[in-house]
Amino acid sequence: MKYLPLLLLCLSCSTSQKQNQDSYIFWDILEGYNPSWDKEQILTKLGKPQEIIKQSGEELWLYRSPKTHFQSWAIGVTTKNKISGLAYFPTSSGKSINISDVEERWKTQDCVHKKESKLIADSYQTTRTLNCDNGHKIIEYNKYNEVSGISVK
């Protein structure tokens, strides 16, 4: 009984370490992406995709969250096996990222907020984006400042 607190402490440390590893992989891919990457770099980091869609001579690799089975990554692969861009959807894996977290992390990348409203059917739809690195990184977020997707090209 006297070892129970020690056991709980060990379990809590290993859980947070796993979460930090997942967070590291996510940021590692988004921040380390380079247009010269080939498909081997993605296969090394994410493994084989769950689905491959061929369109216009290119492939779109889709990865799903093991917890929710919703799409978490989309990777564009050219005919020359180069990565043409990637997109990450944090809410699909149960993670929540606030736009202020991204702003703080990428504050040196010249980011600009954009808000656009369009009339669709009988209502207006507003999209909010944060464009960074001259439009190479686009972060979509909602009115609650929760990030719904990050695309890098």
Side-chain angles (χ1 to χ4, degrees), residues 72-116:
S72 57
W73 287 96
I75 313 288
V77 182
T78 68
T79 55
K80 295 180 181 179
N81 292 325
K82 295 289 183 187
I83 305 302
S84 59
L86 50 93
Y88 178 69
F89 309 101
T91 54
S92 66
S93 58
K95 294 179 183 176
S96 178
I97 299 174
N98 195 296
I99 194 64
S100 62
D101 298 332
V102 179
E103 285 176 313
E104 179 63 28
R105 192 160 182 117
W106 289 348
K107 62 185 169 189
T108 62
Q109 296 191 12
D110 192 28
C111 297
V112 178
H113 287 274
K114 293 187 178 182
K115 182 177 174 182
E116 185 178 322

Side-chain angles (χ1 to χ4, degrees), residues 36-70:
S36 67
W37 275 14
D38 62 12
K39 69 179 186 178
E40 292 304 318
Q41 278 140 327
I42 294 297
L43 290 171
T44 301
K45 294 178 184 304
L46 295 175
K48 291 185 177 182
Q50 282 82 19
E51 186 177 350
I52 297 175
I53 299 172
K54 296 186 182 209
Q55 58 185 23
S56 305
E58 293 192 5
E59 292 181 346
L60 180 62
W61 292 4
L62 304 179
Y63 292 86
R64 292 183 178 25
S65 166
K67 293 178 185 176
T68 63
H69 302 289
F70 290 118

Side-chain angles (χ1 to χ4, degrees), residues 1-17:
M1 191 63 140
K2 66 181 180 178
Y3 295 108
L4 184 60
L6 181 62
L7 178 64
L8 291 175
L9 178 64
C10 289
L11 287 174
S12 68
C13 290
S14 65
T15 302
S16 65
Q17 188 176 21

